[in-house]
Amino acid sequence: MTTLLIYKALHLFFMVAWFAGIFYLPRLFVYHAQTQSPDCDQQFKIMERRLLYFVTPFALLTLVFGGLLIYSYGLAWFKFSHWLHAKLLLVFLLYLYHGYCFKLLADFKNNNNQRSARFYRIFNELPVLVLLAVVLLAVLKPF
């Protein structure tokens, strides 16, 4: 078993764990935006905060092991892996998405949500599309 395979396995594991949260958190936002109950409002605030703080280390570990993979393959490989450059751009957008979730969390926490449940439904679909593109790039390596 090589170090490279261990890095790859850990990168994939932490990515899956991260995405479990990234897929579920906006769904909580949908339900939170629809609630009128103060008790439910408080429960959603707790659930959203715990979930985002739970999956954030997974996002960071995904980055660490992805970086170790790139480092292990070497600079020459990285230079000619144009598919990876496109993938990294999409991954960067996912990290921006993740960061924006902290802003949305703060809006709910401060009772300052200005977004509709419909917005959050659409927002919930974005990482699904990006993940599809990332997986296709990583598997097919089209360029």
Side-chain angles (χ1 to χ4, degrees):
M1 181 173 351
T2 68
T3 304
L4 185 70
L5 291 176
I6 292 170
Y7 291 162
K8 191 178 288 190
L10 291 172
H11 176 67
L12 288 170
F13 171 79
F14 288 118
M15 183 273 303
V16 169
W18 175 30
F19 268 87
I22 288 298
F23 288 159
Y24 187 51
L25 181 64
R27 181 54 48 185
L28 288 176
F29 290 159
V30 169
Y31 302 139
H32 195 168
Q34 292 175 331
T35 191
Q36 301 297 321
S37 165
D39 290 337
C40 287
D41 178 66
Q42 287 305 312
Q43 187 63 41
F44 279 123
K45 288 177 182 178
I46 292 167
M47 292 170 63
E48 292 158 357
R49 179 180 46 80
R50 286 182 179 169
L51 180 59
L52 187 55
Y53 283 94
F54 179 73
V55 299
T56 296
F58 299 146
L60 297 174
L61 289 166
T62 299
L63 183 65
V64 166
F65 287 104
L68 287 170
L69 275 170
I70 292 170
Y71 178 78
S72 296
Y73 277 107
L75 184 59
W77 172 83
F78 178 75
K79 190 177 190 180
F80 292 105
S81 297
H82 302 292
W83 65 270
L84 181 59
H85 304 156
K87 176 190 169 193
L88 290 174
L89 176 63
L90 293 172
V91 169
F92 176 74
L93 294 174
L94 286 170
Y95 281 98
L96 289 177
Y97 180 96
H98 187 102
Y100 188 63
C101 285
F102 279 98
K103 190 257 187 237
L104 297 173
L105 183 75
D107 287 346
F108 277 113
K109 177 185 175 185
N110 298 320
N111 299 316
N112 195 29
N113 175 48
Q114 303 297 314
R115 308 282 186 181
S116 68
R118 184 170 190 270
F119 167 83
Y120 291 113
R121 279 190 176 85
I122 294 167
F123 184 71
N124 188 208
E125 301 305 322
L126 296 176
V128 174
L129 299 173
V130 174
L131 178 61
L132 175 62
V134 165
V135 169
L136 288 173
L137 285 167
V139 172
L140 301 176
K141 298 173 179 52
F143 47 89

